[in-house]
Amino acid sequence: MAKISFREDRCKGCGLCTTVCPKKIVQLSRDRINSKGYHPAECIDESACIGCFSCGTICPDCVITIEREAAK
Amino acid sequence: MANTVFQKPHALCDVPLHYCPGCTHGIIHRLVAEAIDALGIEGRTVGVASVGCSVFTYNYFECDMVQAAHGRAPAVATGLKRAEPNNIIFTYQGDGDLAAIGTAETVHSAARGENITIIFVNNAIYGMTGGQMAPTTLPGQVTQTTPYGRDPQYAGLPVKICEMLSQVDGATYLERVAVDSVAHINQAKRAIEKAFRNQVEGKGFSLVEVLSTCPTNWGKEPAAAMEWLRENMIPYYPLGVYKDKYADEKGGSK
């Protein structure tokens, strides 16, 4: 179980994260804009996130933070 | 109990970057900061900012930074390293800085085998000044000053820095990487960390050339720019290790 969070005010809507997600659950928001005026990236199905942090790896603006449940 | 597995590295300042959307400078900044974090050298690292879009690196790293005159970052780094040999000195330079006006400083700092780390960001164009032809612009590539594509008959052929420096005896480690995909970014991270570790271990001159994009001046969407890099730049500028004096040692490249 992984938790993905976005620092939306830093997102420039470049969309690179949406091209690398293996689960295709990262998308640019269609109906919201952030304080910079961009459509920010968002996760449409958090339960499907596998915590691979591909999105974070390619994000140029350090928008994304990923947490994973510690192994029991 | 959740563990954070990916977040902004400590050595990168918590400020918005001024770069255009999709500009890969942000990725490369993060990789440099991750290398500084991994080696625990933030307190004794001094960076040298070049001229170009990346001039503002001095606002983005938590370590001390110096701003050099155009192309002179390796010369400034030489002075910093010789004055304070225990400090870790890196330069962060674009292709318009390192491969054009700074060619002499680059070649001679390599020839002297200065124990410094150079991060060379090659996006095949002058970004900050509005997209003019750079020495690294590909044949046929359209820029502001080559509107019909770079004509090698008239404008010459690109400079290949890694190939050129591999002939310089004083250089220790040269690798060309790219940031167009997650796999390539991970390889770039390993190369940048190795370039810093070489300096910590006193091994000498290390340069990592990072193929990057300039979506704004290439006139492409960020994802399409990554595609263009993959299809056009990598065939012309092959990725790989061009020189590694210590490759046979444990922990050598590859």
Side-chain angles (χ1 to χ4, degrees):
Chain A
M1 181 69 186
K3 184 173 183 301
I4 179 170
S5 52
F6 295 83
R7 197 166 171 182
E8 285 196 350
D9 57 331
R10 293 282 169 85
C11 181
K12 295 172 185 164
C14 72
L16 289 178
C17 52
T18 65
T19 66
V20 296
C21 179
K23 295 290 181 185
K24 308 284 178 214
I25 52 172
V26 182
Q27 290 185 358
L28 295 185
S29 172
R30 290 180 185 174
D31 51 1
R32 289 184 301 121
I33 56 169
N34 65 9
S35 59
K36 288 179 184 290
Y38 296 116
H39 291 283
E42 63 183 11
C43 181
I44 54 168
D45 182 6
E46 284 200 17
S47 63
C49 179
I50 56 173
C52 68
F53 55 84
S54 295
C55 51
T57 303
I58 207 160
C59 174
D61 292 281
C62 286
V63 169
I64 298 167
T65 300
I66 311 274
E67 291 170 294
R68 271 192 214 146
E69 287 294 328
K72 296 237 168 86
Chain B
M1 185 62 188
N3 287 335
T4 301
V5 290
F6 186 88
Q7 64 181 341
K8 180 192 82 63
H10 184 269
L12 198 65
C13 296
D14 189 17
V15 293
L17 306 180
H18 77 286
Y19 301 113
C20 303
C23 173
T24 47
H25 266 314
I27 300 173
I28 303 163
H29 280 23
R30 197 189 66 240
L31 298 181
V32 171
E34 285 174 350
I36 293 172
D37 280 6
L39 295 168
I41 52 173
E42 188 184 310
R44 60 184 176 121
T45 298
V46 182
V48 184
S50 65
V51 168
C53 291
S54 60
V55 65
F56 292 115
T57 46
Y58 52 60
N59 289 331
Y60 300 146
F61 289 107
E62 291 281 359
C63 61
D64 285 345
M65 297 292 291
V66 175
Q67 218 275 273
H70 201 353
R72 275 65 194 178
V76 173
T78 298
L80 289 167
K81 187 68 183 175
R82 291 190 177 202
E84 295 286 351
N86 288 326
N87 283 1
I88 303 302
I89 312 295
F90 77 94
T91 76
Y92 187 105
Q93 302 175 260
D95 51 306
D97 188 80
L98 184 143
I101 193 168
T103 320
E105 284 76 6
T106 306
V107 172
H108 285 282
S109 59
R112 294 192 304 270
E114 298 292 346
N115 188 25
I116 58 174
T117 302
I118 293 182
I119 309 301
F120 167 42
V121 181
N122 179 359
N123 61 6
I125 206 163
Y126 278 91
M128 186 181 69
T129 49
Q132 294 83 3
M133 186 191 85
T136 46
T137 295
L138 299 181
Q141 185 182 341
V142 173
T143 69
Q144 289 288 328
T145 45
T146 55
Y148 306 108
R150 178 174 185 167
D151 175 8
Q153 293 291 326
Y154 178 74
L157 287 157
V159 179
K160 294 180 169 179
I161 291 293
C162 278
E163 284 87 337
M164 185 169 80
L165 291 181
S166 66
Q167 304 302 313
V168 177
D169 288 342
T172 294
Y173 172 62
L174 305 165
E175 180 165 355
R176 183 182 287 131
V177 295
V179 288
D180 62 303
S181 65
V182 173
H184 281 161
I185 293 171
N186 288 334
Q187 176 59 32
K189 177 179 172 159
R190 286 190 287 275
I192 289 172
E193 193 174 317
K194 183 177 165 67
F196 275 90
R197 199 179 319 113
N198 278 349
Q199 186 181 163
V200 171
E201 295 172 359
K203 288 179 174 170
F205 184 91
S206 301
L207 180 145
V208 178
E209 175 174 347
V210 188
L211 300 183
S212 78
T213 67
C214 183
T216 299
N217 288 305
W218 290 3
K220 292 177 172 28
E221 299 257 328
M226 293 293 205
E227 196 75 22
W228 193 88
L229 187 163
R230 204 154 33 237
E231 290 173 359
N232 297 278
M233 283 185 78
I234 293 179
Y236 200 89
Y237 296 111
L239 306 182
V241 178
Y242 281 81
K243 187 171 186 184
D244 187 356
K245 271 189 190 170
Y246 295 89
D248 296 335
E249 274 189 15
K250 199 178 170 212
S253 64
K254 302 282 169 176

